[in-house]
Amino acid sequence: GENVEQHPSTLSVQEGDSAVIKCTYSDSASNYFPWYKQELGKGPQLIIDIRSNVGEKKDQRIAVTLNKTAKHFSLHITETQPEDSAVYFCAAAHSGGYQKVTFGIGTKLQVIP
Amino acid sequence: DVKVTQSSRYLVKRTGEKVFLECVQDMDHENMFWYRQDPGLGLRLIYFSYDVKMKEKGDIPEGYSVSREKKERFSLILESASTNQTSMYLCASRRRDRGPHEQYFGPGTRLTVT
């Protein structure tokens, strides 16, 4: 089955700096690579995803990159703000079969004002 | 907005008790999921359901069962709770015709088994 590894497990940055979270996956059949943000006391919420036929995607201060050859994908947050503080999960999924989503262990991001 | 609600935010149960965790979604989603979330382990899939009365085992089904009698409701049952089932339980739902990653999560139930 799919295995998703995520690092770092914790990350502290100064407000205004950038934050980068990296993930690797094992199943070459995976073709969806979403990122979820979990704020304190809430469930995870999908914030951005990238498909296997795309190398990079941006949405305001958030960007995701995918290297299918190396089976790596990353989340980049620029100009971090205190409200970016949360736990971020990467995941991998594919559209065939039961469409199961496999999650990384999560990264706790703290943005220091 | 999709709303997924879970019956309790916090629950404390004793070892051996039968525990019911309820999840309700209001957007007519066909697919529903139960995960548990543990530090250092991320989210792990317990069971999922593709339609009413249908269920499939996820990665860690041992010690759990589920029930889906109505489309909007998906229940997770711990037949005989044990201390290693102390965890955060998350329910999610998804429209069948959307991507596998487009799941909407409830706020979670933090279960403590003593």
Side-chain angles (χ1 to χ4, degrees):
Chain A
E2 176 65 274
N3 181 48
V4 176
E5 296 190 356
Q6 179 174 352
H7 59 95
S9 56
T10 60
L11 180 60
S12 289
V13 299
Q14 291 292 129
E15 183 177 355
D17 287 350
S18 295
V20 180
I21 302 170
K22 298 184 178 183
C23 292
T24 62
Y25 65 99
S26 61
D27 187 351
S28 56
S30 292
N31 54 358
Y32 289 85
F33 303 94
W35 289 86
Y36 300 85
K37 177 183 181 182
Q38 185 178 28
E39 297 175 330
L40 201 60
K42 297 184 179 180
Q45 181 177 11
L46 179 68
I47 55 171
I48 194 168
D49 69 276
I50 191 167
R51 308 285 172 89
S52 58
N53 57 349
V54 175
E56 184 175 357
K57 183 177 179 180
K58 280 187 179 181
D59 183 4
Q60 300 181 359
R61 296 185 297 107
I62 292 175
V64 291
T65 59
L66 171 65
N67 181 329
K68 279 217 79 176
T69 303
K71 297 194 179 81
H72 289 175
F73 58 114
S74 301
L75 175 72
H76 303 250
I77 305 174
T78 58
E79 299 172 20
T80 53
Q81 300 168 4
E83 53 264 38
D84 293 330
S85 295
V87 178
Y88 292 81
F89 292 96
C90 64
H94 63 82
S95 50
Y98 287 127
Q99 304 187 344
K100 181 170 164 284
V101 179
T102 301
F103 292 83
I105 64 169
T107 296
K108 185 174 183 179
L109 173 65
Q110 181 184 19
V111 179
I112 304 166
Chain B
D1 273 355
V2 177
K3 194 164 184 185
V4 180
T5 58
Q6 295 184 229
S7 52
S8 304
R9 295 301 300 271
Y10 299 95
L11 209 52
V12 180
K13 295 292 181 180
R14 293 192 181 275
T15 301
E17 278 193 81
K18 190 169 186 176
V19 181
F20 293 86
L21 303 183
E22 305 285 340
C23 174
V24 177
Q25 50 93 5
D26 66 358
M27 287 302 291
D28 203 36
H29 286 178
E30 292 85 4
N31 300 348
M32 296 188 74
F33 308 83
W34 275 107
Y35 295 90
R36 63 178 282 177
Q37 180 179 3
D38 300 289
L41 295 175
L43 278 70
R44 292 179 292 165
L45 182 64
I46 304 171
Y47 266 99
F48 57 103
S49 168
Y50 279 106
D51 210 336
V52 177
K53 296 192 185 296
M54 293 179 64
K55 59 186 179 183
E56 295 288 343
K57 292 180 180 179
D59 297 321
I60 51 165
E62 296 79 19
Y64 304 94
S65 62
V66 291
S67 172
R68 188 143 181 228
E69 296 297 318
K70 293 185 177 182
K71 191 174 186 180
E72 68 271 17
R73 187 180 298 268
F74 192 33
S75 302
L76 180 69
I77 303 155
L78 287 65
E79 295 290 343
S80 177
S82 64
T83 54
N84 63 11
Q85 293 179 310
T86 291
S87 187
M88 170 69 84
Y89 290 88
L90 291 165
C91 174
S93 70
R94 177 179 77 89
R95 265 178 56 174
R96 179 186 297 156
D97 60 349
R98 303 307 291 263
H101 59 303
E102 294 187 54
Q103 298 186 20
Y104 294 84
F105 286 86
T109 295
R110 186 166 292 282
L111 172 67
T112 302
V113 182
T114 62

